[in-house]
Amino acid sequence: TVAFCKDSRLRGNDIIRGDDNSGSDVFNIREFQMETLNAILDTIDGYVWGIPLIAVILFVGILLTSRLGVLQVTNLGNALRYMLHSEKEGEGEVSSFAALCTALAATVGTGNIVGVATAIGTGGPGALFWMEVAAFFGMATKYSEGLLAVKYRKVDTDGKVLGGPFYYIETGIKERFGLNFKWLAVLFAVFGVLAGLLGIGTITQVNGITSAVATVIPTGEFINLAGNSVSYSTAIAGLLCAGFTACVIIGGLKRIAKVSLYIVPFMAIFYILFCLLILGFNFSKISGAIETIIQAAFNPSAVTGGVVGTIFIAMQKGIARGIFSNEAGLGSAPIAAAAAKTKEPVRQGLVSMTGTFIDTIVICSMTGLAIVVTGAWTPELGLQGVNIT
C-alpha cells in the first residue's frame, strides 16, 4: 500500500511505502512524482523514437537523396564554397554564413557532447555508424529545408524577414496543391516551441553544460533552489548561462547571428583540436575502433557483451541522437536560414546542408571515435551522458 502521512513525525510531502503504516521506507513525494514523470516520458519516447518514425525519417532522406541525384556528394564542394562566400545582393537580415552559424549554435556543442555519448552509452559503438547513415541522408533533408525556407519566406512591414516550416507548410502546400494547411502550420509552431523548451533547446543544453561543470568542478557544498539541492558550481553555471543568453536573445535575430558568427567557428575549431589530440595520442587504436563500430552496428552483442543485444537498439539510438545532434528534418534550422541575405533558394539550401556535414559527419564522428578508442563508453565505468565525453 501507499499512504500519505501528515503526522508530527513526517512532512506533508512525504510518502510511506510498505505493508502497513509503520513508517518503513520513507521518501519524499517529489521523488515519487519524478519517477512517475520519467516513466511517462520513457513510454512516450519509446513510441516517438520507435520503428515508425525511424522508418519515415530514413524513407524521406532516401527519397530526397534519390530525387536530388545524391546532391550531398555531387554538390558538397559547391556547398562548402557558398558557405564562406555570401551573395552581395538579396533580401535578408544576416549573411548566409551567419545564418548557418546561428543554426549550428544549437547543435555544435551539446548535440555532439551529450548526443553522441548517450547514443553510444545506450546503443553501443554501433550507434555511431547509424548516426552517420542518418546524417548522410539527412543532408538531403537539410538542403530541402533551407531551400523551402528562402523560397516561401515573407518580409514583414517593418522589414524583418520571416520564414521557416510554418510558412512553407501554409504557403507552399496552398500554391502547389491548392489545399489550406494553415492548421498544420500552427500545430508545427506550437510543437516547435515545446521541442525548443523541452527537447532540442534550453533544458537539454543547460543541463549538459551544468552537468559538465559539476563533474569538472565538484564543490562538495550544496544549496537549496526551488526545492532542489544543487551544488554551488551547478548554480553558478546556470546563472551565468541565463545571464549571457539573455544578453544575446534580447537583441533579436541580428544579435544572435552576430554572436554566433564569432563564437561557433571558434567553438568548433577548439573542439576539433581537442578531438584530434585525443585521437593522435591513441592513433594505434583508431583502426580497431572503426572495426568495433562497424561490427557493433550489425552485431551489437558481440561487442557490448549483451548489454545491447539487437541491431534495432543500436539503430534506434544512433538515428534518434543523430537527429537530435544535426536537427535535420526537425525544422529549427530553416527558421535561421530564412533570414539569410540571398536571392537564390538553392544556394541557401546547399549552405544549410553543410550544417549537417560539419556537425555529424565531421564533429560527431571525431567525438564518437574519441569515446570508443579511450573506452569511456564501457558499462563497467558506470558513466552516462555528458560524463562519457
Side-chain angles (χ1 to χ4, degrees):
T1 61
V2 176
F4 291 89
C5 182
K6 293 185 178 180
D7 66 8
S8 58
R9 292 177 294 123
L10 299 172
R11 297 188 304 275
N13 276 348
D14 286 330
I15 283 180
I16 300 176
R17 176 181 288 169
D19 295 330
D20 53 33
N21 288 345
S22 61
S24 60
D25 193 9
V26 177
F27 61 96
N28 193 283
I29 192 172
R30 283 197 185 90
E31 295 178 7
F32 176 76
Q33 291 169 336
M34 286 304 299
E35 288 177 3
T36 305
L37 178 61
N38 285 336
I40 293 171
L41 291 176
D42 284 342
T43 302
I44 295 172
D45 184 69
Y47 284 112
V48 170
W49 290 110
I51 293 177
L53 186 63
I54 289 174
V56 169
I57 288 173
L58 287 178
F59 172 76
V60 170
I62 292 169
L63 177 65
L64 290 171
T65 298
S66 174
R67 292 292 300 274
L68 295 169
V70 198
L71 182 90
Q72 58 268 62
V73 175
T74 58
N75 275 277
L76 181 59
N78 286 332
L80 294 171
R81 182 163 54 87
Y82 292 149
M83 178 183 74
L84 298 173
H85 295 86
S86 299
E87 291 181 72
K88 294 181 180 179
E89 299 177 359
E91 294 181 331
E93 295 186 66
V94 298
S95 68
S96 294
F97 186 60
L100 174 65
C101 288
T102 302
L104 284 174
T107 58
V108 175
T110 305
N112 307 121
I113 296 169
V114 180
V116 178
T118 304
I120 295 176
T122 56
L128 181 63
F129 174 85
W130 295 112
M131 185 180 287
E132 303 293 346
V133 170
F136 176 77
F137 294 114
M139 287 175 70
T141 305
K142 204 65 165 281
Y143 163 82
S144 304
E145 289 182 299
L147 182 150
L148 291 171
V150 174
K151 182 176 175 63
Y152 293 105
R153 67 184 178 182
K154 297 179 180 179
V155 181
D156 207 351
T157 52
D158 59 357
K160 291 188 179 295
V161 177
L162 306 172
F166 17 81
Y167 284 92
Y168 58 72
I169 286 173
E170 179 186 1
T171 308
I173 293 178
K174 190 172 183 178
E175 285 186 10
R176 187 70 184 266
F177 303 105
L179 300 173
N180 185 359
F181 269 74
K182 185 173 182 177
W183 61 271
L184 185 60
V186 172
L187 272 181
F188 185 96
V190 172
F191 285 121
V193 170
L194 292 174
L197 289 172
L198 303 174
I200 60 176
T202 51
I203 289 179
T204 307
Q205 303 281 7
V206 175
N207 179 261
I209 293 168
T210 54
S211 297
V213 171
T215 301
V216 176
I217 313 172
T219 59
E221 297 181 11
F222 296 85
I223 57 174
N224 189 284
L225 286 178
N228 296 303
S229 181
V230 298
S231 68
Y232 278 104
S233 58
T234 299
I236 292 170
L239 289 171
L240 287 173
C241 280
F244 288 136
T245 303
C247 290
V248 176
I249 289 179
I250 290 172
L253 178 61
K254 285 188 177 180
R255 186 181 294 173
I256 295 171
K258 189 174 183 179
V259 173
S260 299
L261 186 62
Y262 289 103
I263 291 179
V264 171
F266 169 77
M267 180 169 64
I269 292 169
F270 197 67
Y271 189 86
I272 290 172
L273 177 62
F274 271 88
C275 284
L276 287 173
L277 285 172
I278 292 171
L279 294 174
F281 287 124
N282 294 274
F283 184 76
S284 61
K285 300 178 182 178
I286 292 178
S287 59
I290 294 173
E291 184 179 342
T292 297
I293 290 166
I294 295 173
Q295 184 181 6
F298 299 97
N299 187 14
S301 58
V303 174
T304 63
V307 176
V308 178
T310 65
I311 297 177
F312 170 70
I313 293 176
M315 186 184 297
Q316 180 190 30
K317 300 301 181 183
I319 294 174
R321 291 296 168 174
I323 298 299
F324 164 70
S325 179
N326 60 54
E327 298 185 4
L330 291 187
S332 54
I335 299 172
K341 290 180 179 178
T342 180
K343 57 183 178 180
E344 180 48 68
V346 169
R347 182 178 177 130
Q348 185 56 40
L350 289 171
V351 174
S352 296
M353 184 181 78
T354 62
T356 301
F357 176 78
I358 294 168
D359 176 82
T360 306
I361 304 298
V362 177
I363 300 180
C364 282
S365 298
M366 298 179 74
T367 305
L369 270 176
I371 289 172
V372 176
V373 298
T374 57
W377 68 274
T378 52
E380 291 78 12
L381 295 178
L383 300 174
Q384 293 182 350
V386 65
N387 292 326
I388 293 177
T389 305

